[in-house]
Amino acid sequence: MAVKCFSLYLILAAIVIGGVTSEYIEYNTKPRIVPEKINVHLVPHSHDDVGWLKTVDQYYVGSNNSIRGACVQNVLDSVIASLLDDENRKFIYVEMAFFQRWWRQQSNAKKVKVKKLVDSGQLEFINGGMCMHDEATPHYIDMIDQTTLGHQFIKTEFGQVPRVGWQIDPFGHSAVQAYLLGAEFGFDSLFFARIDYQDRAKRLREKTLEVIWQGSKSLGSSSQIFTGVFPRHYDPPEGFTFEINDVSAPIQDDPLLFDYNVQERVNDFVAAALAQVNVTRTNHIMWLMGTDFRYQYAYSWFRQIDKFIHYVNKDGRLNVLYSTPSIYTDAKYAANESWPLKTDDFFPYADKPNAYWTGYFTSRPAFKKYVRDLSGYYLAARQLEFLRGRDSSGPTTDMLADALAIAQHHDAVSGTQRQHVAADYALRLSMGYLQAEKLVASSLSFLSAAKSSTEKKNPGTKFQQCPLLNISYCPASEARLLSGKSLVVVVYNSLGWKREEVVRVPVSSENVIVKDASGKEVVFQLLPLSEIALRIRNEYVKAYLGRSPRDTAKHVLAFTASVPPLGFSSYVISDTGRTARGLSASYVTSGSMNQNVEVGQGNLKLRYSEEGVKITRHLSTKNQVTAEQSYAYYIGSNGTDKDPQASGAYVFRPDGVLPIKSKEEAQLTIVQGPLFDEVHQELNSWISQITRVYKGKNHAEIEFTIGPIPADDGISKEIITKLTTTMKTNGTFYTDSNGRDFIKRIRDFRTDWDLQVYQPVAGNYYPLNLGIYMQDKTSELSVLVDRAVGGSSLENGQIELMLHRRMQHDDIRGVGEILNETVCLPEGCKGLTIQGKFYVQIDKPGDGAKWRRTFGQEIYSPLLIAFTEQEGDSWINSHKTTFSAFEPSYSLPKNVALLTLQELENGEVLLRLAHLFEVGEDSEYSVMAKVELKKLFHNKKRS
């Protein structure tokens, strides 16, 4: 013991004798760029998901930490304090949904300090949307809206406009993101992390991670944006993460403490930087100093970054600086380097040979439809808010705007969140809808009030709407019309051109007629509600509202509404007390379907036989094209011992496909009438469909009901529908980019590298928001969808859509929960049933674009329907029954869409118009369009 003490004494004495001391070190972190050296730009950041494993508010306040220890409030508190401590430090922030929450809670004194941080460039807003939106499943209008909402906040509070796109986590990247949400938004650059592993390997070899991305063939060079793909993920190189519980070795620079390691860590840093230099052009590289929900204790990061900058610069082999993507972009521009040109997009994305992230294109299809429906509703509600005049004291569209913005997050509309988070998103949307519904009702009441009426100041009409009309539930239209009462139906058109469209509402009586506002009876059609529709109605009304429907709807009333652009028309439904003349002819076929059944008029026919349904269109006397429609399901892989990758919320990994045949004793119900013919078909106990053809239309509408998908056999099932033709398509098809541009796809092919095919099905799936089409020398077949889905053409002349998924395993991508959606009733829970539509049209080559673009607008912006009762003709005689915001007889050209009409809080009006057609897409409409602005909104006062 004495020897040991003596030895320790000698060591301590040596330290003292050597004159080594421990004292304060002032780290030199003043930023500078040294042209003759490698410059390492350190970018402190935190990637904060606006919902995923926890809800957006749980992430913000730091609750529910048994799931994930994440508190964004702590991130922002800690980061701001660290920035105020040292003027050389920098930080970027992205998600305004979180920053807004934090900003509301700050004192005026703190806000002044933060504004100075923003003005000095220490704190920089990057991307700047409410969230970091997905790029596969949102519609481009939603992407614009959520980004605009965040930018408005930044502009109002800080007088700044973000310069850089920062889409670091979405699972693939769209052409629309590059040009519309990038170059056209005024961004100087765009950065992200996730690209296909094969693509990344080639770009690392060839130093092509940074490119000029030209996302639009129509806009050409004006759509170009400098784009950087990170060499690895959006985190630092291994060994350089410094959250308080991370395992990376910190710089220990106190000579009186053990494990002094300054030179060792400097060498580590230099080695990691030089490795990145070998895959990057110019002498500038960027390190992302952060990852998911980091900087909750920001000092642990900034302390180490300060030290690395100080000691590596002192070492002299590199130059290191606090930086931002904007500073890095400026340096890249100044380098005068030539960059490779990138076109099309970065879909699909795979991170391993059997892991294509193409399942999420369809995951949570009911939620995807809810988002899409409310997106169209929000567009119409903003118009009506403007036409009435914004009133901040009454209901507004603001809550719906916030909810929709958050729903575009890359773990929201994508369907890759946990179930309780999906429920939170849906609740926010529902609350936003209820506010917007009140706004719509009051606006329609105001616009329909007569000029001399006191209703202009205090609108008295109580309009009702029916958000559950999709499941044939509408109390307003189902109510019994007694004692001379009738139902007024006001139909609003949010498009910029006149439209004539069939309106369908459930009714309780078959003794009804429909008249227009002048009292003229209009052609209508009355058809029975199917047993399946009644079952869905009863179950889901009870699930949504907690009670069964009070009234029993027995029929659907359909009539054609003719509605002016950006305006409304009114119709009256009355009960005559006698059977209506519009009752559809209906009959049922039974047995084994061994006889052919044909419906449809003109050159579009539906033929049913034991082989299935065939859609046939005669394009000419010698050109007849038939598409046979069928259903099947992929068996989702459970993984293997060799590769445990399973199909899940993100990943689509099929393990075989099985056809879904009609039951042997299948029945068809054929309904024929003056407006349309339809055929009801029940394939089995969990799949049925209605195929519908309209008079004077050339497309078929297919309304499907799928679910509950059987799960008791332990097999993951991914339900698809196929359209099979004899077209010679040579492996080529076209899919839309976020509902806007169409991109050419070639099966088993990528434009940027030689694809090694490991998953011939999943690796050829692409996201659809508008639709998909294929063509050969004689014909063109287009399919349009009502929500985001995945689709492909896996065989020549064939198109398939994935409509629904129910999984048995998690795909090990972080969500940690099986995608198994259920709906719960008092008697128990069962798998989710979904309803939806897709639309099919066959044209001559090159003629399909007109239908895809114009009818696609009608799908996105359905007619908005409101109801009110009247005694006799009291309402019709005392109100405006038709209205248009445009001058009489004026409408927008058919190649121009009205994207946004919104009165802002400051009284200014935001108007967005968009050309619908790409260069060369259509001989008539792919031309310059002219809009006469003076003929718009002629009833509004101009300042």
Side-chain angles (χ1 to χ4, degrees):
M1 186 69 178
V3 174
K4 291 181 180 178
C5 289
F6 180 69
S7 299
L8 179 60
Y9 172 78
L10 288 176
I11 293 170
L12 292 172
I15 293 174
V16 173
I17 292 169
V20 178
T21 60
S22 175
E23 59 186 12
Y24 171 74
I25 300 172
E26 184 175 347
Y27 299 111
N28 182 8
T29 59
K30 189 172 183 179
R32 59 172 188 158
I33 288 177
V34 181
E36 63 274 13
K37 288 186 178 181
I38 300 298
N39 292 272
V40 184
H41 296 249
L42 302 185
V43 178
H45 81 108
S46 179
H47 173 60
D48 299 337
D49 288 303
V50 184
W52 180 36
L53 308 181
K54 306 198 297 187
T55 69
V56 57
D57 286 346
Q58 289 171 348
Y59 271 133
Y60 177 70
V61 302
S63 61
N64 211 355
N65 278 345
S66 61
I67 294 176
R68 171 74 187 264
C71 176
V72 176
Q73 192 172 17
N74 284 351
V75 172
L76 292 169
D77 283 341
S78 185
V79 164
I80 296 303
S82 295
L83 295 179
L84 291 171
D85 274 356
D86 188 335
E87 64 181 11
N88 293 328
R89 292 171 176 168
K90 296 184 184 297
F91 193 83
I92 64 168
Y93 202 72
V94 175
E95 295 86 3
M96 291 304 105
F98 285 130
F99 199 89
Q100 271 191 355
R101 283 164 166 76
W102 182 83
W103 188 249
R104 289 196 301 260
Q105 298 174 320
Q106 304 311 304
S107 67
N108 288 334
K110 176 64 73 66
K111 287 182 177 181
V112 169
K113 293 179 180 179
V114 174
K115 287 180 179 180
K116 289 180 179 178
L117 293 176
V118 174
D119 290 341
S120 69
Q122 277 189 266
L123 176 63
E124 183 172 345
F125 297 115
I126 300 292
N127 222 34
M130 296 298 286
C131 67
M132 187 182 294
H133 55 231
D134 184 40
E135 296 185 40
T137 55
H139 194 277
Y140 74 94
I141 293 178
D142 291 327
M143 296 164 77
I144 292 171
D145 285 343
Q146 83 84 16
T147 305
T148 300
L149 198 60
H151 284 203
Q152 285 174 332
F153 166 75
I154 296 169
K155 182 70 173 176
T156 299
E157 297 293 337
F158 302 97
Q160 301 273 349
V161 178
R163 289 183 50 200
V164 173
W166 191 255
Q167 290 289 112
I168 61 176
D169 198 25
F171 329 121
H173 304 280
S174 73
V176 159
Q177 176 65 39
Y179 83 86
L180 188 59
L181 277 299
E184 295 295 302
F185 246 76
F187 287 166
D188 296 326
S189 57
L190 169 65
F191 295 95
F192 49 78
R194 298 186 188 271
I195 63 170
D196 188 278
Y197 73 101
Q198 295 183 35
D199 192 9
R200 186 189 301 277
K202 181 173 183 287
R203 292 181 183 279
L204 286 167
R205 290 193 304 269
E206 299 178 355
K207 290 191 175 184
T208 55
L209 287 167
E210 293 174 328
V211 299
I212 298 297
W213 189 0
Q214 183 174 302
S216 170
K217 61 185 179 184
S218 298
L219 298 177
S221 60
S222 68
S223 69
Q224 292 179 172
I225 187 168
F226 176 79
T227 302
V229 182
F230 305 139
R232 46 179 287 133
H233 203 42
Y234 51 81
D235 53 357
E238 189 172 349
F240 296 92
T241 56
F242 300 108
E243 199 70 14
I244 197 166
N245 56 351
D246 280 332
V247 297
S248 298
I251 287 183
Q252 201 295 86
D253 57 352
D254 186 340
L256 293 186
L257 302 181
F258 286 2
D259 303 322
Y260 184 88
N261 65 353
V262 171
Q263 192 58 50
E264 177 187 347
R265 292 303 281 143
V266 167
N267 291 342
D268 293 340
F269 188 101
V270 171
L274 292 178
Q276 186 167 332
V277 168
N278 289 332
V279 298
T280 309
R281 301 186 187 195
T282 80
N283 62 332
H284 293 272
I285 64 173
M286 178 166 60
W287 280 18
L288 277 66
M289 301 304 291
T291 183
D292 294 2
F293 299 102
R294 295 307 197 264
Y295 290 78
Q296 295 187 67
Y297 183 65
Y299 284 107
S300 66
W301 281 90
F302 284 116
R303 181 187 295 119
Q304 293 305 313
I305 296 173
D306 288 349
K307 292 182 179 184
F308 274 107
I309 292 174
H310 176 79
Y311 287 115
V312 174
N313 287 344
K314 197 172 180 181
D315 174 83
R317 286 175 284 176
L318 304 172
N319 180 63
V320 188
L321 66 153
Y322 274 113
S323 188
T324 69
S326 299
I327 296 172
Y328 179 76
T329 299
D330 290 341
K332 288 290 183 174
Y333 274 92
N336 199 26
E337 177 76 19
S338 295
W339 304 100
L341 182 68
K342 163 69 181 173
T343 57
D344 58 61
D345 61 10
F346 288 90
F347 285 115
Y349 163 62
D351 59 357
K352 294 179 181 178
N354 295 318
Y356 277 90
W357 296 41
T358 53
Y360 82 94
F361 298 162
T362 299
S363 295
R364 300 193 187 277
F367 181 69
K368 283 179 165 64
K369 183 62 164 65
Y370 193 37
V371 171
R372 182 61 52 82
D373 285 349
L374 290 186
S375 175
Y377 189 85
Y378 175 53
L379 182 146
R382 281 186 295 180
Q383 294 174 357
L384 289 166
E385 187 174 32
F386 161 75
L387 294 171
R388 184 194 190 282
R390 183 180 173 92
D391 179 7
S392 58
S393 64
T396 69
T397 58
D398 294 347
M399 185 180 290
L400 181 56
D402 287 337
L404 275 169
I406 290 172
Q408 308 312 314
H409 171 58
H410 59 270
D411 281 306
V413 68
S414 58
T416 54
Q417 67 277 53
R418 286 195 174 183
Q419 184 58 52
H420 76 104
V421 181
D424 182 75
Y425 288 133
L427 176 61
R428 293 172 187 277
L429 289 168
S430 176
M431 293 169 64
Y433 168 80
L434 291 176
Q435 285 295 307
E437 183 186 52
K438 295 175 184 176
L439 178 279
V440 166
S442 64
S443 296
L444 289 175
S445 182
F446 174 85
L447 294 171
S448 61
K451 286 185 178 180
S452 59
S453 172
T454 57
E455 288 193 51
K456 277 295 181 186
K457 293 184 178 179
N458 298 293
T461 303
K462 304 298 182 183
F463 280 109
Q464 292 179 265
Q465 296 163 69
C466 296
L468 298 183
L469 197 55
N470 64 312
I471 55 172
S472 305
Y473 178 67
C474 181
S477 67
E478 295 170 33
R480 297 283 180 177
L481 299 172
L482 304 173
S483 305
K485 288 188 176 181
S486 57
L487 183 68
V488 177
V489 184
V490 173
V491 184
Y492 178 76
N493 170 24
S494 59
L495 296 185
W497 56 74
K498 179 182 177 181
R499 62 203 279 195
E500 293 190 353
E501 194 170 315
V502 172
V503 172
R504 299 162 60 92
V505 295
V507 292
S508 300
S509 170
E510 62 182 36
N511 304 325
V512 293
I513 60 170
V514 184
K515 295 181 180 180
D516 63 18
S518 68
K520 181 181 178 182
E521 188 173 330
V522 301
V523 177
F524 65 95
Q525 189 169 335
L526 200 63
L527 54 157
L529 269 175
S530 68
E531 291 183 9
I532 293 169
L534 285 170
R535 175 179 64 82
I536 297 296
R537 165 192 160 93
N538 292 333
E539 286 184 359
Y540 280 78
V541 168
K542 194 171 184 180
Y544 294 151
L545 304 181
R547 65 175 187 271
S548 297
R550 283 193 293 255
D551 297 305
T552 303
K554 297 179 180 178
H555 298 85
V556 172
L557 173 66
F559 63 93
T560 299
S562 178
V563 195
L566 215 69
F568 62 78
S569 296
S570 304
Y571 295 86
V572 178
I573 300 174
S574 305
D575 192 323
T576 65
R578 59 184 184 277
T579 302
R581 294 189 299 276
L583 197 61
S584 300
S586 176
Y587 64 93
V588 177
T589 69
S590 60
S592 60
M593 291 178 59
N594 55 7
Q595 59 181 13
N596 291 337
V597 174
E598 179 178 292
V599 298
Q601 296 92 18
N603 58 21
L604 180 66
K605 303 288 185 183
L606 303 180
R607 291 188 175 89
Y608 290 81
S609 69
E610 56 188 358
E611 297 176 355
V613 57
K614 295 181 179 180
I615 303 167
T616 301
R617 185 173 181 198
H618 295 268
L619 298 175
S620 67
T621 55
K622 296 182 179 180
N623 189 3
Q624 173 181 302
V625 181
T626 296
E628 183 174 350
Q629 188 238 345
S630 61
Y631 287 92
Y633 69 85
Y634 288 108
I635 299 170
S637 175
N638 296 337
T640 64
D641 293 338
K642 185 177 181 181
D643 184 351
Q645 182 61 62
S647 248
Y650 298 91
V651 173
F652 173 34
R653 186 186 181 188
D655 191 16
V657 62
L658 294 176
I660 298 173
K661 297 288 188 181
S662 297
K663 297 183 296 186
E664 290 185 7
E665 297 298 318
Q667 292 184 337
L668 297 179
T669 300
I670 293 91
V671 179
Q672 294 178 302
L675 300 178
F676 54 84
D677 297 343
E678 63 181 35
V679 179
H680 299 234
Q681 183 183 16
E682 187 173 355
L683 280 78
N684 58 29
S685 61
W686 52 278
I687 295 184
S688 62
Q689 75 173 29
I690 301 171
T691 312
R692 196 173 287 123
V693 289
Y694 293 89
K695 301 288 172 59
K697 304 290 185 180
N698 291 320
H699 68 268
E701 175 182 295
I702 299 173
E703 181 178 332
F704 57 85
T705 301
I706 302 175
I709 299 173
D712 51 5
D713 56 5
I715 295 174
S716 297
K717 298 179 180 66
E718 318 199 39
I719 315 306
I720 62 168
T721 187
K722 294 183 180 181
L723 290 159
T724 304
T725 73
T726 59
M727 294 170 62
K728 298 175 175 60
T729 54
N730 196 29
T732 301
F733 56 105
Y734 302 81
T735 65
D736 72 274
S737 178
N738 302 114
R740 191 145 178 81
D741 304 64
F742 276 89
I743 298 178
K744 182 179 180 179
R745 312 295 190 185
I746 301 175
R747 191 165 55 249
D748 294 335
F749 176 80
R750 302 290 188 268
T751 56
D752 296 325
W753 78 95
D754 294 328
L755 177 67
Q756 300 297 308
V757 179
Y758 298 101
Q759 286 290 321
V761 176
N764 284 297
Y765 254 66
Y766 292 89
L768 313 180
N769 279 276
L770 174 57
I772 180 173
Y773 73 93
M774 60 184 180
Q775 60 186 8
D776 63 8
K777 294 181 179 179
T778 62
S779 59
E780 181 172 297
L781 185 142
S782 304
V783 182
L784 301 185
V785 296
D786 67 348
R787 73 198 74 188
V789 300
S792 186
S793 175
L794 299 176
E795 298 179 22
N796 287 338
Q798 188 179 85
I799 281 175
E800 71 176 58
L801 310 176
M802 184 181 290
L803 303 176
H804 199 359
R805 315 176 76 218
R806 191 178 188 187
M807 314 312 296
Q808 300 281 343
H809 295 270
D810 178 46
D811 54 12
I812 328 174
R813 288 304 180 277
V815 73
E817 188 176 271
I818 297 169
L819 181 66
N820 179 22
E821 294 184 279
T822 59
V823 61
C824 293
L825 299 167
E827 52 269 27
C829 300
K830 57 183 178 180
L832 180 70
T833 297
I834 65 159
Q835 287 186 316
K837 296 177 182 178
F838 61 93
Y839 309 84
V840 182
Q841 180 154 309
I842 302 168
D843 293 286
K844 294 178 181 178
D847 286 355
K850 289 187 183 69
W851 178 71
R852 289 192 296 270
R853 295 300 185 182
T854 56
F855 189 68
Q857 286 295 111
E858 294 180 13
I859 296 171
Y860 177 78
S861 297
L863 294 171
L864 190 156
I865 306 171
F867 306 87
T868 189
E869 284 191 356
Q870 68 171 357
E871 294 277 357
D873 290 327
S874 58
W875 192 92
I876 290 291
N877 291 336
S878 60
H879 289 76
K880 284 196 291 188
T881 57
T882 186
F883 166 85
S884 175
F886 296 172
E887 285 191 2
S889 76
Y890 184 74
S891 64
L892 291 180
K894 279 293 183 77
N895 54 2
V896 174
L898 175 60
L899 302 189
T900 308
L901 176 59
Q902 179 182 13
E903 184 175 346
L904 305 178
E905 288 187 17
N906 61 6
E908 294 180 348
V909 176
L910 176 61
L911 172 67
R912 288 193 187 100
L913 301 171
H915 203 297
L916 286 174
F917 289 77
E918 298 176 68
V919 168
E921 188 176 11
D922 184 83
S923 58
E924 181 181 359
Y925 289 132
S926 291
V927 296
M928 189 70 72
K930 178 183 178 182
V931 175
E932 297 183 60
L933 293 177
K934 289 184 177 181
K935 293 187 177 181
L936 310 183
F937 327 126
H938 67 106
N939 289 322
K940 294 287 288 185
K941 292 182 180 179
R942 292 180 172 85
S943 57

